[in-house]
Amino acid sequence: QVQLVESGGGLVQPGGSLRLSCAASGSIFSIYAMYWYRQAPGKQRELVAATTSGGSSTNYADSVKGRFTISRDNAKNTVYLQMNSLKPEDTAVYYCKFITVDSDYAPYDYWGQGTQVTVSS
């Protein structure tokens, strides 16, 4: 089993910054990709950013391009989301997701517990 633990959420004023972290532990053979999603009240969960473990590819939702940066530390099995120039519409619960593969390259999805980000003056 793999456990994901998120941290770094909180209350920030518009224009401010936060850095989210998501660390994986447990039985990990290999991590294929890492993602950040968010879900605002009354809305569907949406993909915010994604990266492969090798770092060869990153993708962002249009709404966060130029403001958010996804990065990872493979040695620590950790993915980060640096969020700058935050707006009230960024308010949501943020979730990380890892896709891991086993020795047979079978994929598995794991989700973090979520961390609240509130952007308000």
mmCIF file of all heavy atoms in Angstrom, residues 31-34 51-57 72 74:
data_model
loop_
_atom_site.group_PDB
_atom_site.id
_atom_site.type_symbol
_atom_site.label_atom_id
_atom_site.label_comp_id
_atom_site.label_asym_id
_atom_site.label_seq_id
_atom_site.Cartn_x
_atom_site.Cartn_y
_atom_site.Cartn_z
ATOM 1 N N ILE A 31 7.235 5.333 -9.464
ATOM 2 C CA ILE A 31 6.189 6.344 -9.663
ATOM 3 C C ILE A 31 6.213 6.768 -11.124
ATOM 4 O O ILE A 31 7.261 7.171 -11.638
ATOM 5 C CB ILE A 31 6.408 7.557 -8.750
ATOM 6 C CG1 ILE A 31 6.315 7.133 -7.289
ATOM 7 C CG2 ILE A 31 5.370 8.642 -9.055
ATOM 8 C CD1 ILE A 31 6.677 8.231 -6.312
ATOM 9 N N TYR A 32 5.066 6.670 -11.773
ATOM 10 C CA TYR A 32 4.988 7.031 -13.181
ATOM 11 C C TYR A 32 4.663 8.507 -13.366
ATOM 12 O O TYR A 32 5.281 9.175 -14.186
ATOM 13 C CB TYR A 32 3.935 6.182 -13.873
ATOM 14 C CG TYR A 32 3.695 6.582 -15.303
ATOM 15 C CD1 TYR A 32 4.645 6.331 -16.283
ATOM 16 C CD2 TYR A 32 2.525 7.237 -15.680
ATOM 17 C CE1 TYR A 32 4.446 6.721 -17.593
ATOM 18 C CE2 TYR A 32 2.316 7.624 -16.989
ATOM 19 C CZ TYR A 32 3.280 7.365 -17.935
ATOM 20 O OH TYR A 32 3.082 7.759 -19.225
ATOM 21 N N ALA A 33 3.679 8.993 -12.627
ATOM 22 C CA ALA A 33 3.268 10.387 -12.804
ATOM 23 C C ALA A 33 2.674 10.926 -11.502
ATOM 24 O O ALA A 33 2.239 10.161 -10.644
ATOM 25 C CB ALA A 33 2.239 10.519 -13.918
ATOM 26 N N MET A 34 2.679 12.251 -11.398
ATOM 27 C CA MET A 34 2.164 12.929 -10.210
ATOM 28 C C MET A 34 1.248 14.050 -10.660
ATOM 29 O O MET A 34 1.543 14.735 -11.654
ATOM 30 C CB MET A 34 3.315 13.500 -9.387
ATOM 31 C CG MET A 34 4.383 12.492 -9.035
ATOM 32 S SD MET A 34 5.896 13.345 -8.475
ATOM 33 C CE MET A 34 6.934 11.966 -8.084
ATOM 34 N N THR A 51 2.830 16.098 -13.840
ATOM 35 C CA THR A 51 4.217 15.902 -14.264
ATOM 36 C C THR A 51 4.539 14.423 -14.240
ATOM 37 O O THR A 51 3.996 13.671 -13.435
ATOM 38 C CB THR A 51 5.186 16.661 -13.340
ATOM 39 O OG1 THR A 51 6.529 16.524 -13.830
ATOM 40 C CG2 THR A 51 5.140 16.141 -11.906
ATOM 41 N N THR A 52 5.401 13.994 -15.143
ATOM 42 C CA THR A 52 5.900 12.638 -15.086
ATOM 43 C C THR A 52 7.054 12.595 -14.084
ATOM 44 O O THR A 52 7.687 13.616 -13.808
ATOM 45 C CB THR A 52 6.403 12.181 -16.461
ATOM 46 O OG1 THR A 52 7.404 13.104 -16.914
ATOM 47 C CG2 THR A 52 5.259 12.145 -17.469
ATOM 48 N N SER A 53 7.335 11.419 -13.550
ATOM 49 C CA SER A 53 8.378 11.315 -12.526
ATOM 50 C C SER A 53 9.744 11.657 -13.105
ATOM 51 O O SER A 53 10.631 12.116 -12.397
ATOM 52 C CB SER A 53 8.398 9.924 -11.897
ATOM 53 O OG SER A 53 8.699 8.954 -12.880
ATOM 54 N N GLY A 54 9.905 11.442 -14.399
ATOM 55 C CA GLY A 54 11.162 11.793 -15.040
ATOM 56 C C GLY A 54 11.287 13.262 -15.355
ATOM 57 O O GLY A 54 12.364 13.741 -15.741
ATOM 58 N N GLY A 55 10.180 13.974 -15.195
ATOM 59 C CA GLY A 55 10.208 15.423 -15.408
ATOM 60 C C GLY A 55 10.214 15.834 -16.849
ATOM 61 O O GLY A 55 10.414 17.016 -17.161
ATOM 62 N N SER A 56 9.977 14.896 -17.752
ATOM 63 C CA SER A 56 10.042 15.235 -19.172
ATOM 64 C C SER A 56 8.801 15.975 -19.651
ATOM 65 O O SER A 56 8.822 16.572 -20.736
ATOM 66 C CB SER A 56 10.229 13.969 -19.997
ATOM 67 O OG SER A 56 9.138 13.085 -19.802
ATOM 68 N N SER A 57 7.755 15.944 -18.864
ATOM 69 C CA SER A 57 6.521 16.571 -19.307
ATOM 70 C C SER A 57 5.785 17.178 -18.129
ATOM 71 O O SER A 57 5.657 16.542 -17.079
ATOM 72 C CB SER A 57 5.618 15.542 -19.990
ATOM 73 O OG SER A 57 4.377 16.100 -20.340
ATOM 74 N N ARG A 72 8.996 18.151 -8.506
ATOM 75 C CA ARG A 72 9.054 16.909 -7.719
ATOM 76 C C ARG A 72 10.476 16.650 -7.248
ATOM 77 O O ARG A 72 11.437 17.128 -7.849
ATOM 78 C CB ARG A 72 8.547 15.707 -8.531
ATOM 79 C CG ARG A 72 9.564 15.185 -9.518
ATOM 80 C CD ARG A 72 9.266 15.676 -10.897
ATOM 81 N NE ARG A 72 10.365 15.361 -11.804
ATOM 82 C CZ ARG A 72 11.194 16.281 -12.248
ATOM 83 N NH1 ARG A 72 11.038 17.557 -11.909
ATOM 84 N NH2 ARG A 72 12.174 15.943 -13.062
ATOM 85 N N ASN A 74 12.270 13.255 -6.630
ATOM 86 C CA ASN A 74 12.110 11.812 -6.757
ATOM 87 C C ASN A 74 12.762 11.062 -5.603
ATOM 88 O O ASN A 74 12.270 10.009 -5.186
ATOM 89 C CB ASN A 74 12.686 11.328 -8.083
ATOM 90 C CG ASN A 74 11.881 11.799 -9.279
ATOM 91 O OD1 ASN A 74 10.685 12.081 -9.161
ATOM 92 N ND2 ASN A 74 12.516 11.901 -10.421
#
